[in-house]
Amino acid sequence: MLCCGRTDIGKRRRFNQDSFICESFDNGMTLCVVCDGMGGAAGGGLASGLACGNFTDSVAEFAESFGKRESLSRSDERTIKQALTDACDAANRAVYRRAEEQPELRGMGTTLVATLHFCGVLFTLNVGDSRMYLIHSGKINQITHDHSYVQYLVDQGKMTPEAARRSLNKNIITRAVGTEASVEPD
């Protein structure tokens, strides 16, 4: 699997609050993680860096203990999914703990989207509205579901996807890493 990353501050922000890591492990697993700090919250860049690093460290520890495989059983797949959830918990705890220790950072948070490729299987996890797309056979498909206010309205049938793209509220996320003591990823 070929992985690469690039980040851009964009046209409206003064500081880049993005972090990403692409890493291959000795057992053949490849991990890609992207975190985008919450723009208006104090410490968004710190939150994304903490989340990205702690998530990766947790997966690296798991990869070392999991070892190599030629193929995956259903049990292996469940174990990998749990390891990704555990890594998200580790990232969330790190960000939340830092915000609790430093009052000026209260409310900081970040999105997190990650994929782990192993034995021909792509595992994904996301929190927030950073997206993952699958490009295959010339088609692009979004494979994550946004945790945002406008996506909620679309899901409820109260807003069209077209209106959501133009909405002034499209940057309001409903789930983030580090803003609460725990978070549930998809």
Side-chain angles (χ1 to χ4, degrees):
M1 181 172 171
L2 175 65
C3 297
C4 60
R6 181 179 162 194
T7 182
D8 187 285
I9 194 168
K11 296 178 180 178
R12 296 190 305 181
R13 303 275 184 225
R14 289 181 49 211
F15 303 104
N16 190 338
Q17 297 182 339
D18 301 340
S19 297
F20 69 88
I21 295 176
C22 301
E23 189 161 331
S24 294
F25 303 107
D26 290 340
N27 71 342
M29 289 181 176
T30 302
L31 175 70
C32 300
V33 185
V34 174
C35 295
D36 181 3
M38 290 168 37
L46 175 61
S48 71
L50 281 170
C52 203
N54 280 273
F55 187 91
T56 301
D57 290 348
S58 180
V59 173
E61 189 176 306
F62 166 74
E64 186 177 321
S65 69
F66 193 70
K68 295 183 180 188
R69 302 281 196 282
E70 293 297 318
S71 63
L72 296 175
S73 67
R74 291 283 181 219
S75 176
D76 289 338
E77 289 179 6
R78 284 190 299 274
T79 300
I80 291 169
K81 289 176 185 178
Q82 185 60 54
L84 291 174
T85 299
D86 293 346
C88 185
D89 290 343
N92 191 72
R93 280 191 310 274
V95 175
Y96 187 76
R97 187 178 321 120
R98 179 66 70 89
E100 288 292 303
E101 292 169 355
Q102 295 179 258
E104 68 274 13
L105 297 175
R106 290 241 165 83
M108 76 173 175
T110 184
T111 66
L112 187 151
V113 62
T115 186
L116 180 75
H117 181 259
F118 190 55
C119 293
V121 179
L122 198 62
F123 299 88
T124 62
L125 177 140
N126 81 295
V127 176
D129 65 351
S130 291
R131 295 177 174 173
M132 184 176 301
Y133 294 89
L134 179 63
I135 303 171
H136 184 69
S137 300
K139 294 183 181 179
I140 301 173
N141 293 303
Q142 183 179 338
I143 59 174
T144 55
H145 190 77
D146 289 355
H147 302 133
S148 68
Y149 177 65
V150 294
Q151 184 62 56
Y152 169 78
L153 294 175
V154 169
D155 293 345
Q156 297 296 310
K158 296 178 180 177
M159 182 180 275
T160 65
E162 296 77 27
R165 281 191 282 280
R166 294 186 310 273
S167 173
L168 297 177
N169 294 319
K170 66 183 176 183
N171 64 332
I172 299 172
I173 60 175
T174 57
R175 203 182 304 178
V177 170
T179 57
E180 302 287 334
S182 64
V183 68
E184 184 178 341
D186 287 348

